[in-house]
Amino acid sequence: MQVIFIGDGADLDAFSTGYGITILYPKAKILIPSAVSTTVRLAYKRFENRLKDKIITYDDLKEIDTLFLADTNNYKNAVRKLKKFITEKTEIIIYDHHPLREKLPKKIVKKIKKTGSAATIVVDEIKKKKIEISPEDATILVLGIYEDTGNFTYSSTTEKDLKAAAYLLKKGADLDTLKSIIEERIDQEQIYIIHQLVENIQYFLLKDKKIIFTFAYYDRYIPDISAFLHMIKPLQEADAFFVLINERGKTSIIARSKRKDIDVGKIMSYLGGGGHYTAASATVKGLTVQEIKNYIESILLSEAYKNKKIAEFMSTDIATAFKNTQIKQLKELIDKVPVLFVVDERGKFIGITLSRVLKESLRHGIENVRVENFVIDSIITFEPETTLSEAEKMITLSSQEYFPVLKNGKPVGVINRTYIIKILHGQVFDSEKDIFISRERIKPKFLNYEKKLQKYLPEHIFFHLKEIGKISKELGFNTYLVGGIVRDIVLGKKNLDIDLIVEGDAIRLAKEYAKKKGYPVHTFEEFMTAQITLDTGEKIDLATARKETYTHPGAYPKVEKATIKEDLYRRDFTINTLAVELTEGKFGILIDFFNGLKDIKDKMIRILHQLSFIEDPIRILRALRFAGRLGFRLGKPTEKLLKLAVDENMLDVAPTGRINLELNYSLNEEKVIDILMLMNRYRVLHSLIPEFYMDDKREEILKRLRDTIVSFEMFFDIKIDRVSNYLLALMYHLPFDISYKLLRKYHFSKSIKFFEEYYEVKDILREIPEKDSDLYKKIKFIKKDILVYICASSDIELSERIIKILKKEEERQLLISGKDLRELGIPPSPVYKKILDDVFKKYLDDEIKSKKEALEYVKSRYLQP
């Protein structure tokens, strides 16, 4: 038999091409796939009588003599699906307009041409063979040409498409029928998807190219979304776009491009799909939307930077030590570099050792031990020929900051994480450069804040700061109170995180003050910092004002002393750059170098320089935490750069341990819901949790969770695990194995146990007992931490019942006790438990409401003769 194969999700072009093949080969039958577009279904219905003898299903299949492929050249896919019916003698003929991604076997007959529609190819052949066709035939054939050329507006449209359409019109193609089938009909589900796609647009700027990714989630396949993408204006303005629609673990990708140097057909072929350079698609199972996006971005980066090698950017200024060197011989070297490359006697790389570890060993008198005892060998290394795009993939798997470059196993250079990221992504962030340069030139403001210090600081802390200021002056240093404590004093809030910056030597100042007062002091020479512990237990942190400079690309940073302005310029946001001088004679003078006071007044979060989010992606999370906590908004340039940083996947290269720390801070904030809503608005949650989505249900659970936590902590005087509860609220829709991987990735080990315990009991209340005593039996072994989430995610009536039961459980001992039973004359025995449980059950069900009623019940039930 002769069979025409068209792929799953077939559009009108595949349908029209298949129909045209039946005209060329009257014995051929079209094999209907399991899924087709809405327009194809409409065409089936409209031309049902014409098609009934030309269509077969899989149940009708027998041995195939000739296999035709319509609008696809993926013969392997067709052969795989039809392998039971294909023999070595089966002839394969392909009618397609998509470019070949791999060489086809010689025996396959290839009717592949560069046209806007595959239907054009069969129409050309029908014309050449002078086969007569009816107006209905012409109408069916013209459907595919119109749809696949976008009514002749797509750049892939050719002269042949126009001539084929003209021929079909001449043969009587009915444009009214065509219009009724391909005219856009958008239903409620499609509107919902389009809305998600508009909300989730992300920009990926690559050199001079503007590329858009956007995504949507739905619980089932929604056909024909591609027909409505022109309604989304940013997509039409982009050089290329990728639309990813996830339907329960399967992701459909629609890709379009206006540029030949962004060949979406080639990119989709890597994902098992296909198409031509302007339009392509693929369907992927087993990968998250974020993983697919990252993969496509890596292909784009690889194309853009495929000739850029690590050798062009690495630093050759490296420090090496032989493995048998005693660490006392390295004293001078470890003061100059943070990392040593350890090699064997042949100069082959063994691993790295950290200078600070060696310094600590020397401090404890360990001098004669060989350096090989301190080697870290489980690290990622590059070769000089490693491409930048390959390097970026590798650094996302590691928290390393510095990456050794080896040639033939010997160290020849080093490159750091931040520099790789700057090369690949830095040009995206240059657009706001002038704004930040002008900020550096702001004239500083000076205000007297001594009275405010006195008002918002405890008396003993104020005294210590004055005393430190005196010693600072004696030593010839300038000392400043900096950071969040100054910001909060400006806002009229109390804060006891005392951070001091010293223009001079922080360690010397700390030692002098600690010695004078008899306080313990800890010093950290390599970081030029110290910490004094007061007799009240509070701590004062001191750091030498410092800056980091790079002598050349890829080099280790050189840390050196600096001015207070240079030190503050390294900070995250302008609101955190305020400093109050403590030096005697200038005590209490607030200095504002970067308009921090104005930004506090304007309730604005602003970064200090345009590469801030690249140099430290954790600032993305911090910016939104401060904005949510303080009720501030992001300044326009800051907002733009934060969005770009998220779109550029900067959080993928941030150390996961620091992400854990920042999320812990955020999820313990009083205004956690505001922070999470900002994280959702700026797509940070989706970046951290692939497949995340916010809807009304989740928003309601989050708000109820906040209120339920407060209720539990107030009623039961316990500390609830807020972090695990909020993480569960963000991930309850995910299968446990995916949640588990994410929790492990971000080091939430405590939350893993919480999730495990929740999943064990989450279905226990699928059926709700009518009596509170029966409900109590179900929940009494569940931890209160987990009951918090169960209450927040259940209906309000059930939540109120659970809290009421738990309150009564707290009151149980006040109701009746063993002592009361003895006073009633009941001798101690195992029957006590039975009586007390019986009374408590009646109390839960409101059959007993007081201690008096409880005693009366016991008398009547257990003391009657």
Side-chain angles (χ1 to χ4, degrees):
M1 67 186 306
Q2 297 179 352
V3 174
I4 302 164
F5 177 86
I6 58 178
D8 287 337
D11 60 9
L12 282 176
D13 192 31
F15 167 70
S16 297
T17 305
Y19 184 81
I21 293 170
T22 67
I23 295 173
L24 292 168
Y25 300 87
K27 292 183 180 179
K29 307 290 183 185
I30 303 171
L31 179 63
I32 300 301
S34 56
V36 295
S37 70
T38 301
T39 48
V40 170
R41 286 199 297 272
L42 288 171
Y44 282 165
K45 190 173 181 181
R46 168 64 180 78
F47 298 103
E48 190 174 359
N49 291 332
R50 194 80 178 170
L51 294 167
K52 64 182 179 182
D53 295 327
K54 294 178 179 286
I55 286 174
I56 58 170
T57 66
Y58 278 85
D59 293 336
D60 302 318
L61 286 175
K62 297 174 184 175
E63 185 177 304
I64 298 173
D65 302 317
T66 308
L67 177 65
F68 298 94
L69 270 63
D71 195 33
T72 177
N73 57 53
N74 189 350
Y75 79 97
K76 288 182 180 177
N77 179 46
V79 168
R80 186 176 68 251
K81 290 191 173 186
L82 302 172
K83 60 184 177 182
K84 290 182 182 178
F85 311 100
I86 289 178
T87 68
E88 291 182 1
K89 295 180 181 178
T90 301
E91 183 183 16
I92 298 176
I93 302 173
I94 296 176
Y95 284 87
D96 189 30
H97 66 132
H98 298 110
L100 290 171
R101 299 300 171 190
E102 58 178 302
K103 194 171 182 180
L104 297 176
K106 288 183 179 179
K107 65 178 183 178
I108 292 178
V109 178
K110 308 165 194 70
K111 302 199 176 188
I112 301 172
K113 297 181 181 178
K114 190 177 179 181
T115 55
S117 161
T120 296
I121 301 168
V122 294
V123 171
D124 258 3
E125 199 165 316
I126 289 168
K127 281 171 62 181
K128 286 175 184 174
K129 291 186 176 181
K130 298 182 179 179
I131 300 172
E132 281 302 315
I133 58 174
S134 69
E136 276 200 323
D137 293 332
T139 303
I140 294 172
L141 290 168
V142 86
L143 289 172
I145 299 174
Y146 265 79
E147 186 179 65
D148 234 38
T149 62
N151 296 347
F152 309 113
T153 62
Y154 293 164
S155 58
S156 57
T157 305
T158 66
E159 180 185 353
K160 290 180 180 178
D161 299 300
L162 294 165
K163 285 182 176 178
Y167 169 76
L168 295 171
L169 289 173
K170 186 177 178 181
K171 289 294 180 180
D174 183 0
L175 291 181
D176 288 333
T177 300
L178 180 143
K179 184 181 178 185
S180 69
I181 291 174
I182 69 171
E183 187 180 50
E184 295 165 7
R185 290 181 174 86
I186 186 162
D187 60 27
Q188 203 63 36
E189 290 179 325
Q190 290 165 332
I191 290 171
Y192 176 69
I193 297 295
I194 293 294
H195 177 73
Q196 283 194 65
L197 295 177
V198 171
E199 289 291 311
N200 293 327
I201 283 173
Q202 296 183 7
Y203 290 93
F204 179 71
L205 304 181
L206 188 65
K207 293 187 175 178
D208 61 334
K209 306 176 186 76
K210 185 180 184 181
I211 300 165
I212 285 178
F213 287 87
T214 187
F215 46 87
Y217 299 88
Y218 209 60
D219 58 1
R220 59 185 174 278
Y221 173 71
I222 302 295
D224 298 327
I225 285 297
S226 60
F228 306 107
L229 295 180
H230 71 277
M231 300 166 73
I232 304 175
K233 187 178 179 183
L235 298 187
Q236 306 315 309
E237 294 172 347
D239 292 307
F241 65 79
F242 298 87
V243 171
L244 290 77
I245 302 175
N246 181 271
E247 312 123 19
R248 296 194 170 216
K250 182 175 75 173
T251 301
S252 302
I253 310 166
I254 303 164
R256 299 286 184 269
S257 173
K258 294 177 183 174
R259 300 178 56 140
K260 289 187 177 180
D261 55 352
I262 309 176
D263 185 342
V264 293
K266 181 179 180 182
I267 293 170
M268 290 298 98
S269 72
Y270 294 136
L271 289 161
H276 40 79
Y277 86 85
T278 61
S281 62
T283 300
V284 179
K285 294 181 181 178
L287 293 177
T288 67
V289 165
Q290 190 64 39
E291 287 170 334
I292 296 169
K293 177 176 179 284
N294 290 348
Y295 181 72
I296 295 172
E297 285 180 354
S298 71
I299 295 171
L300 292 165
L301 282 168
S302 181
E303 290 293 314
Y305 292 98
K306 57 187 174 185
N307 297 319
K308 299 288 184 181
K309 305 290 196 307
I310 287 291
E312 298 177 50
F313 304 99
M314 71 182 186
S315 167
T316 55
D317 183 15
I318 58 175
T320 59
F322 288 105
K323 66 177 184 177
N324 55 4
T325 306
Q326 292 181 330
I327 63 173
K328 66 181 179 182
Q329 298 173 287
L330 300 170
K331 284 182 181 179
E332 291 185 13
L333 190 56
I334 60 179
D335 282 331
K336 298 176 181 177
V337 295
V339 177
L340 286 177
F341 291 179
V342 182
V343 297
D344 63 17
E345 58 278 354
R346 296 172 301 159
K348 295 281 186 178
F349 179 76
I350 295 174
I352 65 168
T353 186
L354 304 175
S355 295
R356 59 181 174 82
V357 174
L358 300 184
K359 286 180 183 179
E360 193 64 26
S361 299
L362 290 171
R363 194 175 291 123
H364 286 86
I366 303 170
E367 295 187 339
N368 299 319
V369 178
R370 294 188 298 183
V371 72
E372 65 180 329
N373 291 294
F374 299 91
V375 164
I376 303 168
D377 54 10
S378 56
I379 59 171
I380 293 173
T381 61
F382 299 142
E383 294 179 357
E385 295 303 302
T386 303
T387 64
L388 287 176
S389 54
E390 289 171 334
E392 188 189 34
K393 290 179 199 173
M394 295 167 76
I395 69 173
T396 60
L397 303 174
S398 167
S399 58
Q400 278 175 235
E401 181 59 32
Y402 297 101
F403 295 84
V405 183
L406 311 180
K407 186 173 183 179
N408 299 324
K410 296 182 178 181
V412 293
V414 64
I415 192 164
N416 67 53
R417 167 192 296 270
T418 305
Y419 195 66
I420 294 172
I421 294 168
K422 281 184 179 179
I423 298 165
L424 290 172
H425 303 277
Q427 45 86 28
V428 174
F429 295 80
D430 281 339
S431 59
E432 307 297 329
K433 193 170 185 178
D434 292 341
I435 292 172
F436 292 97
I437 290 172
S438 65
R439 181 169 296 157
E440 293 176 50
R441 298 171 182 157
I442 293 170
K443 187 177 180 180
K445 299 173 185 65
F446 300 90
L447 297 168
N448 192 333
Y449 258 64
E450 183 171 358
K451 286 185 179 178
K452 286 205 173 186
L453 289 184
Q454 205 161 7
K455 178 179 179 181
Y456 290 105
L457 294 177
E459 188 177 338
H460 68 287
I461 296 294
F462 184 80
F463 169 78
H464 284 301
L465 296 183
K466 275 230 161 191
E467 290 293 297
I468 288 173
K470 287 179 183 177
I471 294 179
S472 177
K473 184 180 181 182
E474 291 170 9
L475 295 172
F477 303 155
N478 295 315
T479 301
Y480 305 85
L481 180 68
V482 299
I485 189 170
V486 182
R487 177 199 66 231
D488 287 349
I489 287 171
V490 172
L491 287 166
K493 299 179 180 181
K494 291 188 176 181
N495 183 332
L496 284 180
D497 289 332
I498 307 163
D499 292 313
L500 308 185
I501 291 293
V502 181
E503 282 182 326
D505 188 336
I507 291 176
R508 186 179 169 195
L509 175 58
K511 285 180 176 178
E512 288 288 335
Y513 190 67
K515 181 181 177 182
K516 179 179 178 181
K517 297 293 184 180
Y519 296 149
V521 61
H522 291 87
T523 61
F524 308 91
E525 302 283 344
E526 62 269 34
F527 301 116
M528 298 190 291
T529 62
Q531 186 181 76
I532 300 169
T533 304
L534 304 179
D535 51 3
T536 53
E538 291 144 321
K539 300 181 189 301
I540 296 177
D541 292 308
L542 299 93
T544 303
R546 64 193 188 276
K547 63 181 178 180
E548 293 177 352
T549 57
Y550 293 82
T551 56
H552 52 277
Y556 296 116
K558 183 180 178 183
V559 180
E560 55 189 354
K561 292 181 179 179
T563 64
I564 182 67
K565 181 178 180 181
E566 289 171 319
D567 189 282
L568 292 172
Y569 186 65
R570 299 185 304 112
R571 302 197 172 235
D572 48 13
F573 313 115
T574 58
I575 63 170
N576 294 330
T577 61
L578 300 171
V580 175
E581 185 151 10
L582 304 179
T583 316
E584 188 178 44
K586 293 179 277 185
F587 184 89
I589 300 299
L590 181 141
I591 309 172
D592 180 10
F593 289 106
F594 305 108
N595 267 357
L597 283 172
K598 183 178 186 301
D599 288 338
I600 290 174
K601 181 183 176 183
D602 293 342
K603 296 188 173 184
M604 197 76 71
I605 303 290
R606 298 186 198 272
I607 51 176
L608 279 88
H609 52 94
Q610 80 275 11
L611 295 182
S612 186
F613 293 125
I614 277 196
E615 292 178 348
D616 186 359
I618 296 299
R619 287 174 179 161
I620 297 169
L621 301 176
R622 286 175 60 80
L624 301 181
R625 176 160 65 88
F626 282 125
R629 179 208 286 180
L630 301 173
F632 285 16
R633 65 187 188 280
L634 304 183
K636 285 187 178 179
T638 297
E639 181 180 49
K640 178 180 177 181
L641 293 172
L642 183 142
K643 286 179 177 178
L644 283 172
V646 174
D647 290 353
E648 290 283 300
N649 298 318
M650 289 297 101
L651 286 169
D652 284 355
V653 295
T656 52
R658 289 186 63 207
I659 289 176
N660 170 282
L661 185 65
E662 191 56 43
L663 287 178
N664 267 287
Y665 287 148
S666 293
L667 298 178
N668 277 300
E669 287 276 358
E670 184 181 339
K671 294 191 175 180
V672 57
I673 305 302
D674 296 324
I675 295 168
L676 289 174
M677 289 302 142
L678 285 170
M679 286 185 176
N680 175 60
R681 176 181 169 187
Y682 291 108
R683 306 187 189 95
V684 169
L685 287 174
H686 180 78
S687 183
L688 296 172
I689 306 172
E691 318 304 355
F692 174 82
Y693 62 88
M694 183 68 76
D695 58 9
D696 292 342
K697 178 185 175 184
R698 195 184 309 276
E699 189 172 346
E700 182 187 355
I701 288 176
L702 285 167
K703 289 176 180 176
R704 286 186 58 199
L705 185 56
R706 173 196 59 198
D707 298 339
T708 308
I709 288 171
V710 171
S711 298
F712 268 66
E713 291 186 339
M714 182 175 67
F715 291 147
F716 308 119
D717 193 27
I718 55 173
K719 184 68 178 170
I720 294 299
D721 182 354
R722 293 170 180 246
V723 172
S724 297
N725 267 285
Y726 284 117
L727 287 173
L728 184 54
L730 297 175
M731 292 193 277
Y732 67 77
H733 64 295
L734 297 175
F736 176 71
D737 57 336
I738 294 178
S739 299
Y740 178 79
K741 287 178 184 176
L742 287 167
L743 294 172
R744 276 192 63 190
K745 177 181 178 180
Y746 297 118
H747 314 289
F748 286 107
S749 53
K750 183 180 176 184
S751 297
I752 289 175
K753 188 175 180 183
F754 181 96
F755 272 56
E756 288 171 341
E757 292 175 354
Y758 169 74
Y759 276 91
E760 284 178 10
V761 301
K762 75 183 184 75
D763 294 326
I764 203 166
L765 296 178
R766 186 167 285 176
E767 294 182 8
I768 311 299
E770 288 186 16
K771 288 189 172 184
D772 284 352
S773 56
D774 292 330
L775 179 57
Y776 174 69
K777 287 179 186 177
K778 284 179 173 281
I779 68 168
K780 66 180 179 178
F781 298 113
I782 302 175
K783 291 180 179 177
K784 284 190 174 68
D785 275 325
I786 293 169
L787 283 173
V788 165
Y789 183 79
I790 290 174
C791 285
S793 57
S794 303
D795 64 63
I796 293 174
E797 183 184 350
L798 176 59
S799 175
E800 288 175 348
R801 283 181 67 192
I802 291 174
I803 292 175
K804 175 187 167 187
I805 289 168
L806 294 176
K807 280 182 178 179
K808 286 188 172 183
E809 186 182 43
E810 293 281 307
E811 299 162 356
R812 182 171 183 168
Q813 293 302 320
L814 301 175
L815 184 67
I816 192 170
S817 66
K819 181 182 176 183
D820 295 317
L821 297 181
R822 283 196 301 274
E823 289 177 357
L824 288 173
I826 302 173
S829 72
V831 78
Y832 271 31
K833 184 178 185 307
K834 179 183 175 183
I835 296 171
L836 294 174
D837 286 348
D838 184 20
V839 170
F840 184 56
K841 178 181 177 183
K842 299 286 183 185
Y843 181 54
L844 287 172
D845 293 334
D846 289 332
E847 295 175 21
I848 291 174
K849 297 182 180 178
S850 66
K851 183 166 186 172
K852 181 180 177 182
E853 290 181 12
L855 292 171
E856 290 297 325
Y857 173 74
V858 172
K859 287 176 186 177
S860 62
R861 176 77 173 81
Y862 295 98
L863 291 179
Q864 291 295 325

